[in-house]
Structures are given as structure tokens and as C-alpha cells.
PDB file of all heavy atoms in Angstrom:
ATOM      1  N   VAL A  14      -0.881  17.122   5.011  1.00 89.00           N
ATOM      2  CA  VAL A  14      -0.448  16.299   3.876  1.00 89.00           C
ATOM      3  C   VAL A  14       0.225  15.027   4.374  1.00 89.00           C
ATOM      4  O   VAL A  14       0.014  13.945   3.814  1.00 89.00           O
ATOM      5  CB  VAL A  14       0.499  17.089   2.953  1.00 89.00           C
ATOM      6  CG1 VAL A  14       1.030  16.190   1.839  1.00 89.00           C
ATOM      7  CG2 VAL A  14      -0.220  18.289   2.345  1.00 89.00           C
ATOM      8  N   CYS A  15       1.034  15.140   5.429  1.00 89.00           N
ATOM      9  CA  CYS A  15       1.696  13.961   5.996  1.00 89.00           C
ATOM     10  C   CYS A  15       0.669  12.933   6.453  1.00 89.00           C
ATOM     11  O   CYS A  15       0.798  11.728   6.180  1.00 89.00           O
ATOM     12  CB  CYS A  15       2.570  14.365   7.183  1.00 89.00           C
ATOM     13  SG  CYS A  15       3.922  15.490   6.779  1.00 89.00           S
ATOM     14  N   PHE A  16      -0.370  13.395   7.153  1.00 87.00           N
ATOM     15  CA  PHE A  16      -1.385  12.478   7.644  1.00 87.00           C
ATOM     16  C   PHE A  16      -2.226  11.912   6.493  1.00 87.00           C
ATOM     17  O   PHE A  16      -2.686  10.764   6.550  1.00 87.00           O
ATOM     18  CB  PHE A  16      -2.294  13.183   8.661  1.00 87.00           C
ATOM     19  CG  PHE A  16      -1.537  13.742   9.843  1.00 87.00           C
ATOM     20  CD1 PHE A  16      -1.917  14.936  10.423  1.00 87.00           C
ATOM     21  CD2 PHE A  16      -0.435  13.083  10.353  1.00 87.00           C
ATOM     22  CE1 PHE A  16      -1.217  15.455  11.506  1.00 87.00           C
ATOM     23  CE2 PHE A  16       0.278  13.591  11.425  1.00 87.00           C
ATOM     24  CZ  PHE A  16      -0.117  14.783  12.010  1.00 87.00           C
ATOM     25  N   ALA A  17      -2.409  12.706   5.448  1.00 88.00           N
ATOM     26  CA  ALA A  17      -3.153  12.230   4.280  1.00 88.00           C
ATOM     27  C   ALA A  17      -2.391  11.116   3.567  1.00 88.00           C
ATOM     28  O   ALA A  17      -2.990  10.159   3.071  1.00 88.00           O
ATOM     29  CB  ALA A  17      -3.424  13.385   3.321  1.00 88.00           C
ATOM     30  N   ILE A  18      -1.064  11.229   3.517  1.00 91.00           N
ATOM     31  CA  ILE A  18      -0.255  10.171   2.912  1.00 91.00           C
ATOM     32  C   ILE A  18      -0.411   8.879   3.703  1.00 91.00           C
ATOM     33  O   ILE A  18      -0.535   7.792   3.124  1.00 91.00           O
ATOM     34  CB  ILE A  18       1.230  10.592   2.845  1.00 91.00           C
ATOM     35  CG1 ILE A  18       1.399  11.732   1.841  1.00 91.00           C
ATOM     36  CG2 ILE A  18       2.123   9.405   2.448  1.00 91.00           C
ATOM     37  CD1 ILE A  18       2.796  12.338   1.828  1.00 91.00           C
ATOM     38  N   ALA A  19      -0.446   8.982   5.028  1.00 89.00           N
ATOM     39  CA  ALA A  19      -0.651   7.794   5.864  1.00 89.00           C
ATOM     40  C   ALA A  19      -2.001   7.157   5.568  1.00 89.00           C
ATOM     41  O   ALA A  19      -2.119   5.937   5.433  1.00 89.00           O
ATOM     42  CB  ALA A  19      -0.555   8.168   7.345  1.00 89.00           C
ATOM     43  N   GLY A  20      -3.051   8.005   5.430  1.00 85.00           N
ATOM     44  CA  GLY A  20      -4.385   7.489   5.123  1.00 85.00           C
ATOM     45  C   GLY A  20      -4.461   6.860   3.752  1.00 85.00           C
ATOM     46  O   GLY A  20      -5.020   5.776   3.571  1.00 85.00           O
ATOM     47  N   GLY A  21      -3.877   7.536   2.750  1.00 87.00           N
ATOM     48  CA  GLY A  21      -3.882   7.009   1.392  1.00 87.00           C
ATOM     49  C   GLY A  21      -3.078   5.738   1.268  1.00 87.00           C
ATOM     50  O   GLY A  21      -3.505   4.762   0.620  1.00 87.00           O
ATOM     51  N   ALA A  22      -1.892   5.702   1.896  1.00 89.00           N
ATOM     52  CA  ALA A  22      -1.045   4.506   1.858  1.00 89.00           C
ATOM     53  C   ALA A  22      -1.741   3.321   2.511  1.00 89.00           C
ATOM     54  O   ALA A  22      -1.637   2.179   2.030  1.00 89.00           O
ATOM     55  CB  ALA A  22       0.285   4.791   2.560  1.00 89.00           C
ATOM     56  N   SER A  23      -2.464   3.577   3.606  1.00 87.00           N
ATOM     57  CA  SER A  23      -3.184   2.500   4.289  1.00 87.00           C
ATOM     58  C   SER A  23      -4.215   1.856   3.376  1.00 87.00           C
ATOM     59  O   SER A  23      -4.339   0.620   3.324  1.00 87.00           O
ATOM     60  CB  SER A  23      -3.859   3.051   5.548  1.00 87.00           C
ATOM     61  OG  SER A  23      -4.539   2.034   6.239  1.00 87.00           O
ATOM     62  N   VAL A  24      -4.951   2.675   2.640  1.00 86.00           N
ATOM     63  CA  VAL A  24      -5.964   2.138   1.718  1.00 86.00           C
ATOM     64  C   VAL A  24      -5.299   1.354   0.581  1.00 86.00           C
ATOM     65  O   VAL A  24      -5.703   0.219   0.265  1.00 86.00           O
ATOM     66  CB  VAL A  24      -6.831   3.276   1.137  1.00 86.00           C
ATOM     67  CG1 VAL A  24      -7.746   2.750   0.029  1.00 86.00           C
ATOM     68  CG2 VAL A  24      -7.670   3.913   2.244  1.00 86.00           C
ATOM     69  N   LEU A  25      -4.264   1.922  -0.030  1.00 89.00           N
ATOM     70  CA  LEU A  25      -3.605   1.260  -1.158  1.00 89.00           C
ATOM     71  C   LEU A  25      -2.943  -0.049  -0.742  1.00 89.00           C
ATOM     72  O   LEU A  25      -3.049  -1.059  -1.447  1.00 89.00           O
ATOM     73  CB  LEU A  25      -2.560   2.187  -1.779  1.00 89.00           C
ATOM     74  CG  LEU A  25      -3.091   3.412  -2.523  1.00 89.00           C
ATOM     75  CD1 LEU A  25      -1.934   4.228  -3.086  1.00 89.00           C
ATOM     76  CD2 LEU A  25      -4.034   3.003  -3.658  1.00 89.00           C
ATOM     77  N   LEU A  26      -2.262  -0.052   0.395  1.00 91.00           N
ATOM     78  CA  LEU A  26      -1.639  -1.278   0.870  1.00 91.00           C
ATOM     79  C   LEU A  26      -2.690  -2.325   1.223  1.00 91.00           C
ATOM     80  O   LEU A  26      -2.521  -3.519   0.933  1.00 91.00           O
ATOM     81  CB  LEU A  26      -0.762  -0.994   2.099  1.00 91.00           C
ATOM     82  CG  LEU A  26       0.730  -0.776   1.830  1.00 91.00           C
ATOM     83  CD1 LEU A  26       0.952   0.505   1.027  1.00 91.00           C
ATOM     84  CD2 LEU A  26       1.516  -0.717   3.132  1.00 91.00           C
ATOM     85  N   GLY A  27      -3.786  -1.870   1.855  1.00 88.00           N
ATOM     86  CA  GLY A  27      -4.853  -2.803   2.213  1.00 88.00           C
ATOM     87  C   GLY A  27      -5.454  -3.473   0.985  1.00 88.00           C
ATOM     88  O   GLY A  27      -5.732  -4.683   0.986  1.00 88.00           O
ATOM     89  N   ILE A  28      -5.657  -2.703  -0.084  1.00 87.00           N
ATOM     90  CA  ILE A  28      -6.207  -3.262  -1.319  1.00 87.00           C
ATOM     91  C   ILE A  28      -5.248  -4.301  -1.907  1.00 87.00           C
ATOM     92  O   ILE A  28      -5.670  -5.400  -2.310  1.00 87.00           O
ATOM     93  CB  ILE A  28      -6.482  -2.144  -2.340  1.00 87.00           C
ATOM     94  CG1 ILE A  28      -7.650  -1.261  -1.856  1.00 87.00           C
ATOM     95  CG2 ILE A  28      -6.810  -2.733  -3.721  1.00 87.00           C
ATOM     96  CD1 ILE A  28      -7.857  -0.009  -2.675  1.00 87.00           C
ATOM     97  N   LYS A  29      -3.959  -3.971  -1.963  1.00 89.00           N
ATOM     98  CA  LYS A  29      -2.968  -4.907  -2.508  1.00 89.00           C
ATOM     99  C   LYS A  29      -2.895  -6.190  -1.679  1.00 89.00           C
ATOM    100  O   LYS A  29      -2.795  -7.289  -2.224  1.00 89.00           O
ATOM    101  CB  LYS A  29      -1.581  -4.243  -2.562  1.00 89.00           C
ATOM    102  CG  LYS A  29      -1.455  -3.171  -3.626  1.00 89.00           C
ATOM    103  CD  LYS A  29      -1.695  -3.756  -5.017  1.00 89.00           C
ATOM    104  CE  LYS A  29      -1.669  -2.685  -6.092  1.00 89.00           C
ATOM    105  NZ  LYS A  29      -2.043  -3.227  -7.415  1.00 89.00           N
ATOM    106  N   ILE A  30      -2.953  -6.041  -0.359  1.00 90.00           N
ATOM    107  CA  ILE A  30      -2.915  -7.220   0.508  1.00 90.00           C
ATOM    108  C   ILE A  30      -4.183  -8.052   0.315  1.00 90.00           C
ATOM    109  O   ILE A  30      -4.129  -9.284   0.247  1.00 90.00           O
ATOM    110  CB  ILE A  30      -2.746  -6.803   1.983  1.00 90.00           C
ATOM    111  CG1 ILE A  30      -1.376  -6.138   2.174  1.00 90.00           C
ATOM    112  CG2 ILE A  30      -2.877  -8.009   2.906  1.00 90.00           C
ATOM    113  CD1 ILE A  30      -1.195  -5.454   3.517  1.00 90.00           C
ATOM    114  N   GLY A  31      -5.340  -7.384   0.205  1.00 85.00           N
ATOM    115  CA  GLY A  31      -6.589  -8.100  -0.050  1.00 85.00           C
ATOM    116  C   GLY A  31      -6.570  -8.852  -1.369  1.00 85.00           C
ATOM    117  O   GLY A  31      -7.185  -9.915  -1.516  1.00 85.00           O
ATOM    118  N   GLU A  32      -5.861  -8.300  -2.362  1.00 85.00           N
ATOM    119  CA  GLU A  32      -5.713  -8.964  -3.658  1.00 85.00           C
ATOM    120  C   GLU A  32      -4.662 -10.070  -3.625  1.00 85.00           C
ATOM    121  O   GLU A  32      -4.509 -10.808  -4.601  1.00 85.00           O
ATOM    122  CB  GLU A  32      -5.318  -7.935  -4.724  1.00 85.00           C
ATOM    123  CG  GLU A  32      -6.409  -6.917  -5.039  1.00 85.00           C
ATOM    124  CD  GLU A  32      -5.928  -5.810  -5.965  1.00 85.00           C
ATOM    125  OE1 GLU A  32      -4.697  -5.648  -6.128  1.00 85.00           O
ATOM    126  OE2 GLU A  32      -6.789  -5.098  -6.512  1.00 85.00           O
ATOM    127  N   GLY A  33      -3.908 -10.170  -2.513  1.00 84.00           N
ATOM    128  CA  GLY A  33      -2.865 -11.183  -2.393  1.00 84.00           C
ATOM    129  C   GLY A  33      -1.543 -10.796  -3.025  1.00 84.00           C
ATOM    130  O   GLY A  33      -0.657 -11.640  -3.192  1.00 84.00           O
ATOM    131  N   ARG A  34      -1.331  -9.525  -3.352  1.00 88.00           N
ATOM    132  CA  ARG A  34      -0.102  -9.060  -4.000  1.00 88.00           C
ATOM    133  C   ARG A  34       0.859  -8.498  -2.941  1.00 88.00           C
ATOM    134  O   ARG A  34       1.026  -7.289  -2.816  1.00 88.00           O
ATOM    135  CB  ARG A  34      -0.434  -8.012  -5.053  1.00 88.00           C
ATOM    136  CG  ARG A  34      -1.348  -8.540  -6.155  1.00 88.00           C
ATOM    137  CD  ARG A  34      -1.649  -7.473  -7.184  1.00 88.00           C
ATOM    138  NE  ARG A  34      -2.520  -7.975  -8.242  1.00 88.00           N
ATOM    139  CZ  ARG A  34      -2.904  -7.258  -9.294  1.00 88.00           C
ATOM    140  NH1 ARG A  34      -2.497  -6.009  -9.432  1.00 88.00           N
ATOM    141  NH2 ARG A  34      -3.696  -7.788 -10.202  1.00 88.00           N
ATOM    142  N   MET A  35       1.519  -9.395  -2.229  1.00 91.00           N
ATOM    143  CA  MET A  35       2.351  -8.996  -1.097  1.00 91.00           C
ATOM    144  C   MET A  35       3.613  -8.246  -1.518  1.00 91.00           C
ATOM    145  O   MET A  35       4.034  -7.306  -0.835  1.00 91.00           O
ATOM    146  CB  MET A  35       2.726 -10.227  -0.264  1.00 91.00           C
ATOM    147  CG  MET A  35       1.523 -10.944   0.332  1.00 91.00           C
ATOM    148  SD  MET A  35       0.522  -9.832   1.379  1.00 91.00           S
ATOM    149  CE  MET A  35      -0.710 -10.964   2.019  1.00 91.00           C
ATOM    150  N   GLU A  36       4.243  -8.643  -2.599  1.00 90.00           N
ATOM    151  CA  GLU A  36       5.462  -7.969  -3.035  1.00 90.00           C
ATOM    152  C   GLU A  36       5.174  -6.518  -3.422  1.00 90.00           C
ATOM    153  O   GLU A  36       5.955  -5.617  -3.122  1.00 90.00           O
ATOM    154  CB  GLU A  36       6.108  -8.722  -4.205  1.00 90.00           C
ATOM    155  CG  GLU A  36       6.752 -10.035  -3.817  1.00 90.00           C
ATOM    156  CD  GLU A  36       7.808  -9.874  -2.737  1.00 90.00           C
ATOM    157  OE1 GLU A  36       8.636  -8.931  -2.838  1.00 90.00           O
ATOM    158  OE2 GLU A  36       7.795 -10.668  -1.774  1.00 90.00           O
ATOM    159  N   GLU A  37       4.057  -6.303  -4.106  1.00 90.00           N
ATOM    160  CA  GLU A  37       3.671  -4.940  -4.461  1.00 90.00           C
ATOM    161  C   GLU A  37       3.385  -4.126  -3.203  1.00 90.00           C
ATOM    162  O   GLU A  37       3.717  -2.940  -3.126  1.00 90.00           O
ATOM    163  CB  GLU A  37       2.451  -4.943  -5.378  1.00 90.00           C
ATOM    164  CG  GLU A  37       2.744  -5.370  -6.804  1.00 90.00           C
ATOM    165  CD  GLU A  37       1.561  -5.142  -7.718  1.00 90.00           C
ATOM    166  OE1 GLU A  37       0.988  -4.033  -7.698  1.00 90.00           O
ATOM    167  OE2 GLU A  37       1.192  -6.083  -8.445  1.00 90.00           O
ATOM    168  N   ALA A  38       2.772  -4.763  -2.216  1.00 90.00           N
ATOM    169  CA  ALA A  38       2.467  -4.073  -0.959  1.00 90.00           C
ATOM    170  C   ALA A  38       3.759  -3.617  -0.277  1.00 90.00           C
ATOM    171  O   ALA A  38       3.839  -2.493   0.249  1.00 90.00           O
ATOM    172  CB  ALA A  38       1.672  -4.983  -0.035  1.00 90.00           C
ATOM    173  N   LYS A  39       4.795  -4.457  -0.300  1.00 92.00           N
ATOM    174  CA  LYS A  39       6.070  -4.084   0.316  1.00 92.00           C
ATOM    175  C   LYS A  39       6.709  -2.899  -0.409  1.00 92.00           C
ATOM    176  O   LYS A  39       7.252  -1.992   0.226  1.00 92.00           O
ATOM    177  CB  LYS A  39       7.029  -5.293   0.306  1.00 92.00           C
ATOM    178  CG  LYS A  39       6.678  -6.343   1.354  1.00 92.00           C
ATOM    179  CD  LYS A  39       7.772  -7.376   1.499  1.00 92.00           C
ATOM    180  CE  LYS A  39       7.715  -8.403   0.386  1.00 92.00           C
ATOM    181  NZ  LYS A  39       8.699  -9.498   0.613  1.00 92.00           N
ATOM    182  N   LYS A  40       6.638  -2.902  -1.736  1.00 92.00           N
ATOM    183  CA  LYS A  40       7.174  -1.774  -2.505  1.00 92.00           C
ATOM    184  C   LYS A  40       6.411  -0.499  -2.189  1.00 92.00           C
ATOM    185  O   LYS A  40       6.994   0.573  -2.015  1.00 92.00           O
ATOM    186  CB  LYS A  40       7.089  -2.069  -4.000  1.00 92.00           C
ATOM    187  CG  LYS A  40       8.067  -3.111  -4.505  1.00 92.00           C
ATOM    188  CD  LYS A  40       7.910  -3.301  -6.000  1.00 92.00           C
ATOM    189  CE  LYS A  40       8.841  -4.383  -6.536  1.00 92.00           C
ATOM    190  NZ  LYS A  40       8.652  -4.589  -7.999  1.00 92.00           N
ATOM    191  N   TYR A  41       5.083  -0.612  -2.110  1.00 92.00           N
ATOM    192  CA  TYR A  41       4.260   0.561  -1.805  1.00 92.00           C
ATOM    193  C   TYR A  41       4.614   1.136  -0.438  1.00 92.00           C
ATOM    194  O   TYR A  41       4.612   2.365  -0.240  1.00 92.00           O
ATOM    195  CB  TYR A  41       2.778   0.175  -1.842  1.00 92.00           C
ATOM    196  CG  TYR A  41       2.169   0.143  -3.229  1.00 92.00           C
ATOM    197  CD1 TYR A  41       2.971   0.049  -4.371  1.00 92.00           C
ATOM    198  CD2 TYR A  41       0.793   0.202  -3.414  1.00 92.00           C
ATOM    199  CE1 TYR A  41       2.418   0.023  -5.641  1.00 92.00           C
ATOM    200  CE2 TYR A  41       0.227   0.188  -4.680  1.00 92.00           C
ATOM    201  CZ  TYR A  41       1.042   0.093  -5.790  1.00 92.00           C
ATOM    202  OH  TYR A  41       0.489   0.063  -7.045  1.00 92.00           O
ATOM    203  N   ALA A  42       4.915   0.257   0.525  1.00 94.00           N
ATOM    204  CA  ALA A  42       5.297   0.721   1.862  1.00 94.00           C
ATOM    205  C   ALA A  42       6.603   1.523   1.806  1.00 94.00           C
ATOM    206  O   ALA A  42       6.731   2.576   2.438  1.00 94.00           O
ATOM    207  CB  ALA A  42       5.442  -0.473   2.801  1.00 94.00           C
ATOM    208  N   THR A  43       7.565   1.035   1.023  1.00 93.00           N
ATOM    209  CA  THR A  43       8.849   1.735   0.887  1.00 93.00           C
ATOM    210  C   THR A  43       8.667   3.107   0.249  1.00 93.00           C
ATOM    211  O   THR A  43       9.218   4.113   0.722  1.00 93.00           O
ATOM    212  CB  THR A  43       9.820   0.897   0.027  1.00 93.00           C
ATOM    213  OG1 THR A  43      10.037  -0.362   0.655  1.00 93.00           O
ATOM    214  CG2 THR A  43      11.159   1.619  -0.135  1.00 93.00           C
TER     215      THR A  43
END
């Protein structure tokens, strides 16, 4: 589950960064 969270977070953050939503990406990382 820990490794799955890393994989899922990577995809979600990547999508937000690709969309140009940097502030949302920072919140998602936290």
C-alpha cells in the first residue's frame, strides 16, 4: 500500500504539473 501511494501520487502530481497547476501539486505532495 505504501508503494502504491507513491505510484498514485506520482501520477496525480504529474497530471497537475502538466496542467500548470503548481499550487495544487504542492498541496497534493503534502
Side-chain angles (χ1 to χ4, degrees):
V14 176
C15 298
F16 302 144
I18 292 173
S23 181
V24 172
L25 291 180
L26 264 66
I28 291 171
K29 289 299 176 186
I30 295 169
E32 293 173 344
R34 300 180 180 182
M35 298 303 184
E36 288 303 315
E37 286 189 49
K39 285 191 281 186
K40 288 181 182 178
Y41 278 19
T43 300

